[in-house]
């Protein structure tokens, strides 16, 4: 049994991932800030862990991470507020990487988006702060000594999932959140994904094969 910590445990993709991991026998701890979200997390098969990652320093995050076999970063500020976007998507994410190193937990999976870290948004774009924050975090992770994987799904949709993706496309398309969850679960099980940035759309290749 693998013990996995999912940071941002109440997100739509995170909840789907928790169910997949719990169903295969992993122990999942899901970090949430709002205690009202604990019931949904438990219903997905995970243990609810109350913590505000925006406020925790490296030592606090290391204490949270210690004892796990892997960390999945699926948290985000949700856009809108540039200051909070940088505080969560960049600063807290980077602190969590340093905390994972401090705690001796090497396996780290970052849920990012298709364009990162190369996409540059114009100053007039409301997306520019998110893109810059994710790029900074992804570059920091790729330069770390962690056993990292950066996942870059394309535009998220709420379909049932097909179990099929395309990791070769040069442009973003769309993918179901259910398939993103399946990719996260498979990534954690596949050592071949370590040290890679994997961008993907909905496609025609089974997820396990596409990640090889």
């Amino acid at each position: 049994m693998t013990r996995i910590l999912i940071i941002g445990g109440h997100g739509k993709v995170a909840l789907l991932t928790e169910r997949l991991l719990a169903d295969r026998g992993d122990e999942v701890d899901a970090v949430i800030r709002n205690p009202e979200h604990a019931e949904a997390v438990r219903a997905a098969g995970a243990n609810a862990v109350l913590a505000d990652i925006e406020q925790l320093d490296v030592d606090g995050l290391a204490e949270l991470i210690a004892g796990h076999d892997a960390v999945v970063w699926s948290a985000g500020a949700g856009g809108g507020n540039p200051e909070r976007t940088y505080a969560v998507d960049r600063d807290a994410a980077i602190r969590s990487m340093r905390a994972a190193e401090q705690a001796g937990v090497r396996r780290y999976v970052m849920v990012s988006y298709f364009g990162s870290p190369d996409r540059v948004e114009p100053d007039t774009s409301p997306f520019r702060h998110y893109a810059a924050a994710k790029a900074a975090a992804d570059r920091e992770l790729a330069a770390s000594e962690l056993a990292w994987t950066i996942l870059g799904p394309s535009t998220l949709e709420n379909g049932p999932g097909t179990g099929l993706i395309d990791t070769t496309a040069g442009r973003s398309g769309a993918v179901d959140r259910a398939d993103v969850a399946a990719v996260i679960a498979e990534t954690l099980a596949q050592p071949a994904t370590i040290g890679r940035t994997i961008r993907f759309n909905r496609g025609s290749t089974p997820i396990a094969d596409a990640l090889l």
Side-chain angles (χ1 to χ4, degrees):
M1 180 178 66
T2 301
R3 191 173 179 213
I4 299 163
L5 183 73
I6 298 182
I7 299 175
H10 188 253
K12 293 178 182 179
V13 169
L15 289 169
L16 293 168
T17 305
E18 288 152 21
R19 172 50 59 198
L20 291 176
L21 296 176
D23 285 350
R24 77 182 186 191
D26 293 331
E27 181 180 349
V28 186
D29 292 325
V31 178
I32 56 174
R33 186 176 63 168
N34 187 344
E36 294 181 1
H37 295 161
E39 184 177 349
V41 164
R42 287 192 291 266
N47 306 309
V49 179
L50 288 174
D52 188 346
I53 58 168
E54 191 175 349
Q55 301 302 320
L56 287 176
D57 60 11
V58 171
D59 289 342
L61 285 165
E63 185 175 344
L64 199 67
I65 292 169
H68 293 88
D69 299 299
V71 177
V72 176
W73 180 275
S74 190
N81 183 320
E83 183 177 347
R84 188 157 186 269
T85 295
Y86 286 116
V88 175
D89 293 272
R90 182 190 64 191
D91 300 341
I94 290 172
R95 286 198 304 274
S96 76
M97 299 166 199
R98 294 171 181 163
E101 292 176 327
Q102 182 173 309
V105 179
R106 296 195 66 247
R107 190 67 174 109
Y108 190 111
V109 176
M110 168 65 74
V111 182
S112 188
Y113 78 102
F114 195 96
S116 185
D118 306 315
R119 181 170 172 172
V120 177
E121 292 289 316
D123 290 343
T124 55
S125 170
F127 193 69
R128 68 189 186 282
H129 302 294
Y130 175 79
K134 293 301 287 184
D138 290 351
R139 290 191 183 107
E140 185 80 13
L141 181 57
S144 76
E145 297 299 320
L146 295 169
W148 58 270
T149 306
I150 297 169
L151 297 177
S154 53
T155 301
L156 301 178
E157 297 184 341
N158 286 324
T162 65
L164 306 171
I165 60 171
D166 176 11
T167 61
T168 65
R171 299 180 65 180
S172 176
V175 65
D176 289 351
R177 286 179 171 85
D179 284 328
V180 178
V183 168
I184 295 168
E186 187 64 28
T187 294
L188 288 164
Q190 280 207 27
T193 62
I194 292 174
R196 294 168 57 195
T197 296
I198 302 171
R199 300 177 179 91
F200 59 98
N201 297 321
R202 184 182 296 116
S204 58
T205 304
I207 287 170
D209 295 334
L211 295 181
L212 291 175

